[in-house]
Each structure stands twice: as C-alpha cells, then as structure tokens.
Amino acid sequence: MIKGRADKSSLFRGLIFGIIIGVVFTAAAVLAYQKSGDARFCGSCHSMGMVHGAWQLSHHHQYTCTECHLPDTHLAGKVAYKTRAGLNDLIHETIRDYPAGFGISAESRRIVNENCLRCHASTVLNTPMASDGADCLTCHRYLVHGRGVDEGG
C-alpha cells in the first residue's frame, strides 16, 4: 500500500516537473521568436548595417523585417523558414563570408513579392503587373533598403 502511494507521488512530481519544464521551454521559444523578429536584432549583424539604416529612413520603417521577409503562412511555416534563414545568416555572419552586394534567393524574392502584394494589392490591381505577374522588386528593389554600398561579411 505504501509503495503504491509512493509510486503515484513520484509520478505526480515527475509530471508536474515535466509541465514546468515545458512551460519554461515554450516561453523561451516564444520570447526568442519575438526578439529575433525585431528590427534592432536584424540590424545588429555587420552585413545588415547599411540596409537597416536605409530601412529606418524609408516609408516602410513602421513594419518589422519579418512582415516583409517571412512567408504569410501558419506559425509552423514561419518558424521553419525563419529558423532555416536565420541559421544560414548566422553561419555566414560568423565566418564573415557574405559577399559585398549579396542578393536574395528565389524563394525569398517570392516571399517578399507576395508580402508587397498583400499590402499593395489595390494599387497593383488595375496595372499590367496584375495580369503579367511582374516582379515588384524589378522596379522597386531599392525602395526600402536604398542603394547604399554593401559591406559584405
């Protein structure tokens, strides 16, 4: 009888401990996700200094980096993309091998274009861009981040 009660008590304590660890881990993950989407965090990397400064002076400075550079999808999709892109940036920033004047990938270009259209759909609706599926960045590449001299890694 006493052994059964001890087993239930240790099982209960283990369950409570697991829940606490889960809550702490979840809170840390949410905080890290929120902080890493802040423009100050994005601009803290050496290779992003110029684009961050230009963004601050642009008409889009009220939007966070993630509003334009993350896919407009469910949370799991955003976290997966942000993790993959963030690790890529971290590796290249750490070993300082970003070339001067680096561009964005085809996937990133698609995401940025979709996000441009999400906000500016009514502006584009009655233009040739709407029917031709034109790339917003072809004409508006320097609109937010300017034409500064890229420093590279």
Side-chain angles (χ1 to χ4, degrees), residues 43-67:
S44 68
C45 291
H46 170 75
S47 62
M48 291 292 130
M50 293 294 289
V51 294
H52 182 260
W55 163 81
Q56 288 178 311
L57 299 174
S58 79
H59 292 293
H60 287 80
H61 68 272
Q62 72 272 28
Y63 303 107
T64 64
C65 303
T66 56
E67 288 180 85

Side-chain angles (χ1 to χ4, degrees), residues 55-148:
W55 163 81
Q56 288 178 311
L57 299 174
S58 79
H59 292 293
H60 287 80
H61 68 272
Q62 72 272 28
Y63 303 107
T64 64
C65 303
T66 56
E67 288 180 85
C68 295
H69 292 280
L70 281 186
D72 185 34
T73 185
H74 50 76
L75 182 62
K78 287 182 180 185
V79 169
Y81 182 82
K82 189 173 188 178
T83 300
R84 189 173 72 243
L87 287 174
N88 180 60
D89 291 343
L90 177 65
I91 289 167
H92 291 291
E93 199 64 44
T94 302
I95 61 178
R96 296 209 177 260
D97 74 340
Y98 268 129
F102 64 92
I104 63 174
S105 68
E107 181 183 22
S108 294
R109 180 176 288 275
R110 178 188 57 76
I111 290 167
V112 169
N113 272 309
E114 288 173 358
N115 287 328
C116 289
L117 292 173
R118 183 169 42 90
C119 292
H120 299 287
S122 63
T123 305
V124 176
L125 187 61
N126 295 317
T127 69
M129 286 182 63
S131 58
D132 296 341
D135 182 349
C136 301
L137 298 179
T138 300
C139 297
H140 301 289
R141 175 178 179 204
Y142 302 108
L143 182 71
V144 176
H145 296 300
R147 290 185 186 262

